[in-house]
Amino acid sequence: MTDQPPRPTEAPVPVPGSTAAEPVNASALIRNDAGQYLMHLRDHLPGRIWEPGAWSLLGGGREPQDRSLEETVRRELREEAGLDLPVLEPYAVETATGMDGTPVPVAVYSGRWNGDPARLTLTEGVMLHWFAPEVLPRLRLSRSTLDLMLRHAADVRGASGTRPAANSTAAPATPEAPPPLPSVLAVHAHPDDESLFSGGVLAQHAAAGARTAVVTATWAEETHRVAELARALEILGAGPPRPLGYADAKVPESAPGRPRFLDAPLDEAVGAVVAHIRAVRPQVVIAPDPYGGMTGHPDHVHAHRVTALAVRASGLARLYPEAGEPWQPSALYLATHPRSAAEAVGGRMGRRGTPVEALYVSDDAWITTTVDVAPWLPRKLAAILAHRSEVVRGAAPGRIAALSPDDQHRALSTEWYIRQELASRGAADTALRT
């Protein structure tokens, strides 16, 4: 696939339904028998590729050896994903927008396939995944692609079984879109905690266009761990690092001249988190559970303590007036592990043989929200592995790197949370999507 759809420079190639400039780009609208559509998640490389970090259709630009745009899309499917579909039919011409803002016509071909995208060899982008039509409005994808796919879904559902002409002006039958995902601020103790404990939800919300951000309590801004954190957050789409700059309880050199997070005045630490909450103005905040996230690390416990106070103080005008205008998040989600999953997850994370009673976990009955983050697992995993120094020293990212793909999926494709209400308003539209 080309990084940006090129502007038409070749002789026009007739495509059924085209009405304006003839396209020299082609993409594939692939549907399975369950009515789901195959989507391609592009790399998050702003300024370097077209539609960075967005979901799109597989396809690309015509090359000199292509005798037709159907040959173009077939070649792109083979090169990008090893796909060879028996039937591809012209469906429509989508008008995309290039990086320079110019309209770019793209010939869209429809096809059918019922395979497992996880078994394909993807050579570009992050992942391939099936999505039902009703999920499409929640994804980060171009408006023109969304409209085209919803129109195709309506065509398939139509009693006549025919599709409108590509230049039809009739409005597509659009399924009612679910409420947008809420904005999220995650507060964690160490660089890598954001990816390990809430990387899936952060990637999910960022992919849907929600604002996401991460506050990290320990390690100074100039250290290698914060540089690794910056790369991980770029992968997750969660903005730049927001380090508080305290020292790790067990690594004093993590912030030379600064107190340990545990030793800093509580009022000071709470005020620092309040300032970030008021700056980001998130609808929900994520923090560790009160037990310390399976390991019981004292910094995890303290991150919970500080955040639990900060989410309540941030909405009170008389508290920390120097930290900005008050803002009250609607809910606090505590990232945790249920007892029923602890043994399996702990074993795959290098704690095999540790009795469940020795792990810091939550009773199953306390879990309010279980999120399947499998569609965003490649991003979560890439963010974890971006903490390269932790991989090298054999910490949690290193143990994850050593797992088989199946064990990585079992250990990381689900995230569990305990929701605590902070405001009576907006409970429905601030729920994490399960």
Side-chain angles (χ1 to χ4, degrees):
M1 175 182 284
T2 55
D3 286 345
Q4 176 187 1
R7 299 176 65 176
T9 57
E10 305 180 43
V13 179
V15 175
S18 63
T19 58
E22 295 290 350
V24 293
N25 305 275
S27 59
L29 186 64
I30 301 173
R31 183 176 179 271
N32 64 16
D33 290 342
Q36 300 169 316
Y37 289 90
L38 187 65
M39 301 297 295
H40 177 219
L41 181 59
R42 299 176 62 81
D43 291 302
H44 186 66
L45 299 172
R48 293 171 55 187
I49 67 170
W50 179 58
E51 292 188 337
W55 292 93
S56 66
L57 303 177
L58 287 166
R62 187 177 182 183
E63 295 186 358
Q65 71 271 24
D66 300 334
R67 292 172 296 179
S68 67
L69 285 173
E70 181 178 341
E71 283 197 6
T72 295
V73 73
R74 287 187 178 281
R75 174 183 51 75
E76 290 286 342
L77 289 175
R78 287 193 300 270
E79 292 176 355
E80 293 184 355
L83 265 176
D84 192 0
L85 303 187
V87 177
L88 280 171
E89 297 180 342
Y91 176 68
V93 174
E94 174 192 7
T95 301
T97 302
M99 289 178 68
D100 59 0
T102 59
V104 180
V106 181
V108 180
Y109 289 77
S110 64
R112 181 161 295 201
W113 182 66
N114 286 295
D116 179 2
R119 296 183 177 275
L120 296 176
T121 301
L122 188 63
T123 60
E124 294 184 22
V126 177
M127 66 181 297
L128 295 166
H129 191 72
W130 291 114
F131 288 103
E134 60 269 20
V135 176
L136 297 175
R138 289 158 44 187
L139 303 180
R140 178 184 289 173
L141 74 166
S142 72
R143 184 74 233 183
S144 60
T145 300
L146 174 62
D147 289 345
L148 178 126
M149 296 181 73
L150 294 179
R151 187 176 78 194
H152 185 271
D155 291 348
V156 173
R157 289 194 303 268
S160 66
T162 60
R163 63 174 179 85
N167 60 352
S168 170
T169 58
T174 304
E176 183 178 352
L181 294 180
S183 53
V184 177
L185 174 67
V187 182
H188 287 289
H190 311 114
D192 79 4
D193 291 343
E194 80 296 327
S195 303
L196 291 165
F197 295 115
S198 54
V201 162
L202 288 169
Q204 175 195 28
H205 285 235
R211 288 181 295 109
T212 58
V214 173
V215 171
T216 308
T218 66
W219 289 80
E221 190 165 4
E222 65 274 11
T223 60
H224 70 283
R225 292 293 304 278
V226 174
E228 293 170 347
L229 173 65
R231 174 57 183 148
L233 295 182
E234 181 183 14
I235 293 168
L236 296 174
R242 294 172 173 267
L244 301 186
Y246 294 114
D248 186 311
K250 300 178 181 180
V251 189
E253 63 271 22
S254 59
R258 293 295 309 280
R260 298 191 312 164
F261 181 42
L262 284 172
D263 300 331
L266 182 61
D267 188 60
E268 174 187 292
V270 171
V273 174
V274 166
H276 285 288
I277 293 173
R278 290 177 178 175
V280 176
R281 305 178 83 77
Q283 292 166 286
V284 301
V285 173
I286 292 174
D289 66 29
Y291 298 116
M294 194 180 289
T295 67
H297 194 294
D299 284 338
H300 295 175
V301 176
H302 198 53
H304 166 83
R305 183 183 298 121
V306 168
T307 308
L309 293 170
V311 291
R312 291 162 174 86
S314 63
L316 302 175
R318 292 191 177 184
L319 294 181
Y320 307 101
E322 73 285 355
E325 291 296 316
W327 175 259
Q328 180 59 68
S330 293
L332 173 65
Y333 280 89
L334 305 179
T336 191
H337 289 86
R339 191 174 304 279
S340 60
E343 187 170 12
V345 173
R348 292 186 176 91
M349 295 285 286
R351 302 179 185 278
R352 199 177 306 277
T354 303
V356 173
E357 294 74 19
L359 298 173
Y360 295 83
V361 296
S362 297
D363 288 344
D364 286 39
W366 300 348
I367 306 299
T368 63
T369 309
T370 301
V371 185
D372 176 10
V373 298
W376 299 274
L377 182 56
R379 282 202 179 192
K380 178 178 178 176
L381 183 59
I384 291 171
L385 300 183
H387 294 278
R388 186 62 188 165
S389 61
E390 295 297 275
V391 173
V392 171
R393 80 178 186 91
R399 296 193 293 272
I400 288 170
L403 295 176
S404 69
D406 284 347
D407 277 348
Q408 288 174 341
H409 185 276
R410 294 186 186 101
L412 300 171
S413 63
T414 303
E415 291 177 2
W416 298 271
Y417 296 90
I418 302 170
R419 178 180 171 114
Q420 295 184 350
E421 300 295 338
L422 300 174
S424 58
R425 61 178 175 81
D429 62 2
T430 59
L432 298 188
R433 203 65 51 76
T434 58

